[in-house]
Amino acid sequence: MKIGVVGTGYVGLPTGVGLAELGNEVICIDKDENKISSLKAGKLTIFEDGLEDLFVKNVQNGRIRFTTSMQEGVENADIVILAVGTPPNPITKEADMKYIHAAAKELAQYINGYTVVAVKSTVPVNTGDSVEKIITEQHPKGEFDVVSLPEFLREGFAIHDFFNPDRIIVGANSTRAAQMIAKLYEPFAGKTKILYVHRRSSETIKYASNAFLAMKIQYINEMADFCEKSGADIYEVAQGMGLDSRIGNKFLNPGPGYGGFCFPKDTNAMAYMGRAYGVNLSLIEATIRGNDQRKINMADRILQTVKDIPEPKIAVWGTAFKGGTDDCRESPAMQIIQILLERGAKITVYDPQAMDNARKILGDSVAYAPDMYTAADEADVLAVLTEWEDFKTPDLQKLKSQLKTPKIIDLRHLINRETAQANGFEIFSLGIK
Ligand code: NAD
């Protein structure tokens, strides 16, 4: 099939590459000229495990191309996938539809023969209707259908998740469009549950899922706080809870709060939609408040370990919002760092993949270390904020020789406590007294 993918970010690029690998002819369109010239030159614009090999392979065999021209990407496409951003409105926190609406307007005139416009971006309920209206206004004779095709991939596992989705949700209000999407996903038929639902249900499934997962994270974080006070061990509690198949063992890791480009904005957008429809989404509202507070609490916890030092020097391992990605957007690590800076700490950071993105946000307010041990140089405490594999088994003696005081606050529970203690470290973890 001929596919146009509008937006080559964390969703659009892996999706385009994945669809090319499945044998489709893909054209990725982005209005960001720097991204397109980099991709055309064979240079990836994001870090995703496993992306590079597939990218190189499909560029070489000509199945994927990159352009800034909407016309080039849309005019011969059977399916045009919208994967542009839907950032939060800075004041109301509702999802801002300006990129979606602009892309719909730009692509409409190039629709040529029956085309399915599939909205992969996370969009509020009824966006399919507004996209349909915009395209019809621009191109009244255009033959098209708008489908909701929400994306569930996890950053850091985008390629894995593309080829092994838990489920594929298709919100199509026409049989013709549903058949086109069925053809696109034929390679998954029989392996993955493909659920066909009303377009508005599909749009809602994405937000309802992300809000539920965010709530689960906030729940286990509150349980971790409880365990710390009561003397229970959150990891044993989580393990016991997870054995109940109704609960499941995923998303039961306590940490510094949820972050990234999706959960914070999607919980806020869902809460906004609840208020707009006059529905009390109290669990989601409480989750958002709790998660915001958590970053402050975590900064307090770190500062507690250096409370007697006037201008503490803190080493931070990890700036990405989670391991496996270079994405620092809404990263709890970044938010904690910013609070620590406001409170007068001096910070040196290290992240295996996200240094460039961290620098874009933090500028000169922190120092950047070339490796994890240098980051710890002369620091009063080491704070582990992102769950990178590299941080799990450090050379503890080397680390100890770098730090001013052998103190670790491990907000991701990566470093084995007993081993660290045996090596002379004072180590703090969440959810354990
Ligand atoms: P992103 O910011 O990384 O990428 C969006 C891209 O769209 C940018 O490169 C931008 O230049 C481009 N763009 C914007 N307007 C355009 C236009 N008119 N024409 C061409 N290109 C245009 O965003 P992302 O992280 O890939 O997220 C995209 C959507 O997918 C969002 O709605 C997000 O909520 C959703 N989503 C993201 C993830 C994730 O893990 N990042 C997961 C599931 C769903």
Side-chain angles (χ1 to χ4, degrees), residues 9-11 30-31 35 86 106 122 155 261-262 265 329:
Y10 286 89
V11 167
D30 205 294
K31 62 178 185 179
K35 276 191 188 174
T86 48
E106 287 160 31
T122 303
E155 277 182 36
F261 188 51
C262 291
K265 81 174 173 59
R329 294 176 295 182

Side-chain angles (χ1 to χ4, degrees), residues 6-12 29-32 35 46 70 82-87 99-100 102-104 106 120-123 150-155 206 210 261-262 265-266 321 327 329:
V6 184
T8 57
Y10 286 89
V11 167
I29 310 131
D30 205 294
K31 62 178 185 179
D32 184 331
K35 276 191 188 174
I46 57 170
M70 194 64 99
L82 289 189
V84 300
T86 48
Y99 299 115
I100 288 281
E106 287 160 31
K120 215 166 226 326
S121 304
T122 303
V123 293
E151 181 53 65
F152 298 98
L153 62 76
R154 299 162 300 162
E155 277 182 36
K206 176 64 195 180
N210 271 5
F261 188 51
C262 291
K265 81 174 173 59
D266 293 348
F321 84 91
D327 195 352
R329 294 176 295 182

Side-chain angles (χ1 to χ4, degrees), residues 38 97 125 144 159 173 179 301 384 430:
S38 168
M97 288 294 101
V125 64
F144 71 98
I159 291 297
N173 291 357
Q179 282 167 348
R301 292 281 300 274
V384 183
L430 297 174

Side-chain angles (χ1 to χ4, degrees), residues 72-142:
E72 196 184 334
V74 172
E75 65 187 355
N76 294 315
D78 302 305
I79 299 176
V80 175
I81 294 175
L82 289 189
V84 300
T86 48
N89 175 303
I91 297 156
T92 62
K93 306 274 173 78
E94 70 193 288
D96 188 339
M97 288 294 101
K98 66 174 180 248
Y99 299 115
I100 288 281
H101 289 163
K105 207 167 167 185
E106 287 160 31
L107 72 85
Q109 58 184 311
Y110 303 117
I111 285 183
N112 179 15
Y114 180 71
T115 309
V116 170
V117 177
V119 182
K120 215 166 226 326
S121 304
T122 303
V123 293
V125 64
N126 282 338
T127 297
D129 301 47
S130 64
V131 168
E132 200 167 272
K133 188 160 171 275
I134 290 169
I135 298 176
T136 306
E137 277 165 9
Q138 299 298 312
H139 189 4
K141 292 198 175 138

Side-chain angles (χ1 to χ4, degrees), residues 127-346:
T127 297
D129 301 47
S130 64
V131 168
E132 200 167 272
K133 188 160 171 275
I134 290 169
I135 298 176
T136 306
E137 277 165 9
Q138 299 298 312
H139 189 4
K141 292 198 175 138
E143 239 195 308
F144 71 98
D145 275 307
V146 176
V147 165
S148 161
L149 200 60
E151 181 53 65
F152 298 98
L153 62 76
R154 299 162 300 162
E155 277 182 36
F157 300 90
I159 291 297
H160 172 272
D161 290 353
F162 178 89
F163 290 103
N164 306 280
D166 282 338
R167 83 286 212 196
I168 293 165
I169 304 289
V170 185
N173 291 357
S174 97
T175 311
R176 193 176 180 189
Q179 282 167 348
M180 284 280 265
I181 300 294
K183 198 168 161 209
L184 180 71
Y185 284 119
E186 219 162 55
F188 297 98
K191 285 188 270 180
T192 302
K193 174 74 189 163
I194 305 181
L195 184 66
Y196 292 89
V197 295
H198 191 283
R199 198 165 61 195
R200 290 182 195 167
S201 306
S202 172
E203 290 163 342
T204 305
I205 285 168
K206 176 64 195 180
Y207 278 112
S209 301
N210 271 5
F212 186 85
L213 292 172
M215 214 165 65
K216 202 169 173 189
I217 293 172
Q218 174 58 15
Y219 183 84
I220 203 68
N221 282 340
E222 288 186 4
M223 281 303 133
D225 289 347
F226 176 80
C227 287
E228 267 166 46
K229 297 283 180 206
S230 65
D233 177 327
I234 189 62
Y235 299 96
E236 291 176 357
V237 171
Q239 196 184 3
M241 284 172 66
L243 290 172
D244 184 331
S245 60
R246 294 168 305 175
I247 297 174
N249 60 7
K250 305 225 173 88
F251 275 67
L252 290 180
N253 295 323
Y258 60 78
F261 188 51
C262 291
F263 286 1
K265 81 174 173 59
D266 293 348
T267 42
N268 273 305
M270 187 74 227
Y272 178 88
M273 283 191 279
R275 291 193 291 274
Y277 284 95
V279 179
N280 180 14
L281 299 179
S282 63
L283 292 176
I284 297 176
E285 300 275 8
T287 297
I288 295 167
R289 279 196 306 276
N291 192 61
D292 287 346
Q293 183 59 43
R294 185 140 188 97
K295 270 66 74 63
I296 300 166
N297 295 352
M298 292 299 105
D300 286 343
R301 292 281 300 274
I302 295 169
L303 288 171
Q304 190 62 27
T305 64
V306 288
K307 63 178 187 304
D308 300 325
I309 303 164
E311 223 183 39
K313 187 165 180 267
I314 299 171
V316 168
W317 283 0
T319 56
F321 84 91
K322 64 175 185 176
T325 179
D326 62 350
D327 195 352
C328 291
R329 294 176 295 182
E330 295 288 320
S331 164
M334 300 295 278
Q335 292 164 347
I336 292 167
I337 290 168
Q338 275 156 335
I339 301 168
L340 294 173
L341 288 169
E342 281 161 22
R343 310 256 179 98
K346 290 217 170 318

